[in-house]
């Protein structure tokens, strides 16, 4: 670790007593690097066993890694907590300026405990911590406005992060997100609701520290090497040009794009909502997380006329990417690009996770279509595929929860289907609504076994495509081994904390070399051992909180449609889960 590195400082904030203090733990950051590695250790320590996710004792833990603010595209921050959506390990990653601001403020971790009696926002500027009254911000209808007000109140313009929740977090929607700056999110697993339960409307962080390296020349060389491969790599170019929405057309052509609650694997209107269509018709600008030369965040400019005045328009800037187009587009049968942008905007205004929202509404639409729900449950809405105006109203109702049905829908599709039926087509895995890949069995084995049940866990969808291209057989042991090997390395990347889009640039060799700048001698084997330890800690926590591989439920719907490998074999999925379990137990 470089001399005087402040990464070892952990800032504790106790909302109940309005106190804060700093503890130093150099060993923790030496053994677990930072990010996910440190967060899971702190979660074990700070989160009491069996706690209700909305208990004041459920901590919201934010961590950064040793590469943040030092090397390019180490631009993410990790959050860990007990998830209100799954009732188990909650892990969410966010970018924007969050990681760089926290590192420059001089902390490796922030642990928020307790609950405030009245709404607050926490402002951290270097060593100063303030509990600011947020009563006027609480209940504000748009998350954009909250950001704008805080921007004017707080110092640190240009170097600060402003992370805030929307109405969804205040209303404890189990899949409410935390928005960082504008257009970036700690999207998954309900971090927004955990902060809402603590009456925290926002967290602002800024800092002005700097770093000194013993071997400045090695730092410059290594930095240059990473930077060069980021800007020259063909892999990163595609993120800059079309962004992740480039996936829509190829996945649709291969018939693996989940459509209308996965009643179909192909969307006839995909062309209208493809990355190409958005780029040509709407792309307003591209932005980047701090310290990232790639700039993959695509922002659409949607020009809308005022109702009462001719030739008057307002322009809404709306960020889009693959997962949003899948979950609020093809999954809901929405083929109007304008309509889809309006849906995305409403999700952002309310502060919801777009994937969970889309999948929950897709399940509700199928329930309505089958006649399992009346308009009494849907509060008068006639949910129909493609009807984005009704979906916008439904999103507001998920947040407002005016009746039992929307109260259950606000808890996620598993809770809603266990009350109203339709579990066989409720598309969640381990309690978390599915991402947009119906590529084959490996994707689903990844969703269901992953530590946090997300496509970011182990890239199963990419193994489906690789296995298919290589003409490989679906051997359960090989499936389990591939997912676990990927997962071990991902623990390192998410401890540093590198954006996963750059996982091919941050090879083990580059990581080891960059560590030399930080005065560590860590080769691939050392790193893998650390990755393995972190992975094991995650499953230990999950098991502690009731997770059992043998009790995992798989919605029948995924077996009904063709994938890259034809219809998915239940037997292959079950045997792969069993092999995965054996491997995890042997760690
Ligand atoms: S590639 Fe995109 S998501 Fe990743 S750090 Fe850069 S701008 Fe952020």
């Amino acid at each position: 670790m470089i001399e005087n590195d402040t990464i070892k400082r952990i800032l504790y904030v106790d909302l109940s007593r309005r106190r804060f203090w700093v503890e130093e733990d150099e060993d923790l950051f030496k053994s677990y690097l930072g990010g996910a590695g440190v967060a899971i250790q702190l979660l074990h320590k700070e989160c009491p066993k069996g706690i209700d996710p909305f208990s004041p004792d459920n901590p919201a833990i934010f961590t950064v890694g040793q590469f943040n603010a030092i090397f390019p595209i180490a631009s993410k921050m990790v959050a860990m907590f007990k998830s209100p959506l799954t009732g188990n390990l909650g892990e969410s990653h966010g970018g924007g300026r969050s990681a760089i601001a926290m590192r420059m403020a001089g902390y490796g971790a922030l642990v928020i405990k307790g609950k405030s009696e009245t709404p607050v926002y926490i402002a951290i500027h270097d060593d100063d911590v303030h509990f600011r009254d947020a009563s006027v911000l609480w209940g504000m209808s748009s998350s954009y406005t909250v950001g704008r007000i805080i921007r004017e109140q707080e110092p640190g313009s240009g170097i600060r992060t402003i992370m805030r929740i929307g109405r969804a977090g205040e209303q404890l929607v189990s899949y409410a997100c935390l928005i960082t700056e504008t257009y970036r999110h700690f999207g998954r697993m309900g971090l927004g609701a955990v902060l809402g339960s603590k009456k925290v409307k926002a967290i602002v962080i800024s800092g002005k520290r700097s770093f000194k390296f013993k071997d400045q020349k090695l730092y410059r060389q290594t930095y240059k090497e990473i930077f060069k491969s980021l800007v020259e790599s063909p892999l990163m170019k595609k993120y800059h040009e079309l962004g992740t929405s480039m996936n829509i057309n190829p996945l649709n052509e291969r018939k693996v794009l989940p459509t209308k609650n996965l009643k179909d694997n192909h969307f006839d209107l995909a062309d209208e909502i493809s990355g190409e269509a958005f780029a040509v018709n709407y792309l307003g600008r591209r932005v980047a997380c701090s310290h990232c030369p790639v700039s993959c965040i695509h922002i659409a400019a949607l020009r809308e006329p005022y109702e009462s005045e001719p030739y008057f328009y307002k322009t809404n800037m709306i960020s889009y990417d693959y997962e949003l187009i899948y979950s609020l587009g093809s999954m809901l049968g929405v083929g109007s690009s304008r309509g889809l942008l309006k849906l995305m905007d409403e999700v952002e205004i309310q502060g919801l996770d777009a994937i969970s929202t889309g999948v929950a509404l897709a399940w509700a639409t199928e329930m309505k279509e089958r006649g399992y729900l009346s308009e009494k449950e849907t509060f008068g809405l006639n949910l129909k595929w493609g009807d984005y105006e009704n979906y916008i109203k439904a999103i507001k109702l998920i947040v407002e929860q005016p009746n039992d049905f929307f109260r259950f829908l606000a808890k996620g599709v598993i809770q809603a289907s266990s009350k109203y039926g339709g579990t066989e087509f409720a598309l969640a895995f381990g309690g978390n609504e599915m991402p947009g890949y119906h590529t084959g069995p490996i994707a689903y084995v990844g969703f269901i076994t992953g530590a946090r049940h997300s496509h970011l866990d182990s890239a199963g969808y990419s193994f489906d495509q690789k296995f298919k291209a290589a003409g490989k057989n679906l051997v359960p042991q090989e499936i389990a081994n591939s997912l676990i090997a990927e997962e071990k390395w991902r623990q390192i990347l998410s401890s540093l904390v590198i954006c996963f889009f750059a996982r091919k640039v941050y090879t083990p060799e580059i990581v080891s070399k960059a560590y030399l700048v930080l005065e560590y001698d860590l080769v691939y084997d050392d790193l893998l051992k650390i990755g393995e330890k972190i992975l094991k800690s995650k499953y230990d926590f999950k098991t502690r909180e009731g997770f059992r591989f043998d009790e995992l439920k798989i919605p029948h719907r995924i077996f009904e449609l063709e994938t890259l490998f034809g219809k998915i074999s239940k037997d292959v999925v079950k045997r792969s889960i069993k092999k995965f379990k054996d491997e995890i137990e042997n760690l």
Side-chain angles (χ1 to χ4, degrees), residues 305-319:
Y306 275 89
E307 274 170 22
S308 50
E309 300 222 40
Y311 309 118
F312 265 71
Y313 296 87
K314 64 174 173 179
T315 303
N316 286 345
M317 304 303 283
I318 303 161
S319 78

Side-chain angles (χ1 to χ4, degrees), residues 65-103:
Q66 301 187 28
F67 283 20
N68 289 129
I70 293 179
F71 292 110
I73 213 167
S75 307
K76 300 276 181 172
M77 188 194 243
V78 170
M80 274 198 203
F81 47 95
K82 185 163 172 183
S83 163
L85 182 63
T86 65
N88 209 299
L89 174 62
E91 179 182 345
S92 210
H93 297 186
R97 274 198 289 265
S98 58
I100 312 302
M102 185 143 111
R103 188 87 164 98

Side-chain angles (χ1 to χ4, degrees), residues 13-19 56 113-117 131:
V13 172
D14 181 349
L15 294 159
S16 305
R17 292 184 292 158
R18 301 248 166 150
R19 286 187 56 228
K113 308 187 342 168
K115 175 183 176 171
S116 174
E117 273 178 20
F131 296 89

Side-chain angles (χ1 to χ4, degrees), residues 40 59 82 92 102 110 123 178 236 241 273 287 306 323 325 381 384 398 402 445 457 511 514 523 528 537 563 585:
I40 187 64
K82 185 163 172 183
S92 210
M102 185 143 111
L110 164 66
L178 176 68
M236 302 314 289
E241 284 178 350
I273 56 168
V287 295
Y306 275 89
E323 292 295 353
I325 298 178
L381 290 185
K384 276 192 314 233
I398 287 174
V445 175
D457 273 317
V511 171
V523 293
L528 266 194
S537 295
T563 67
E585 285 175 352

Side-chain angles (χ1 to χ4, degrees), residues 190-244:
L191 177 61
V194 171
L195 290 169
S197 75
K198 296 181 176 305
K199 287 269 188 294
V200 172
K201 185 68 188 174
I203 305 162
V204 183
I205 309 177
S206 74
K208 291 190 191 136
R209 282 175 165 78
S210 57
F211 302 99
K212 265 208 178 118
F213 306 103
K214 237 187 211 159
D215 191 341
Q216 199 67 26
K217 194 170 160 215
L218 180 66
Y219 173 53
R220 274 201 301 273
Q221 260 177 8
T222 315
Y223 190 101
K224 221 171 164 182
E225 188 180 337
I226 298 169
F227 188 87
K228 198 163 171 277
S229 67
L230 281 171
V231 294
E232 287 176 5
S233 154
L235 190 83
M236 302 314 289
K237 193 166 170 249
K238 65 188 186 186
Y239 288 116
H240 178 69
E241 284 178 350
L242 283 182
T244 54

Side-chain angles (χ1 to χ4, degrees), residues 73-76 95-96 184 236 239 287-297 498-502:
I73 213 167
S75 307
K76 300 276 181 172
R184 292 284 86 191
M236 302 314 289
Y239 288 116
V287 295
C289 300
S290 271
H291 221 145
C292 170
V294 174
S295 238
C296 80
I297 307 161
I498 310 286
C499 174
F500 280 162
F501 291 161

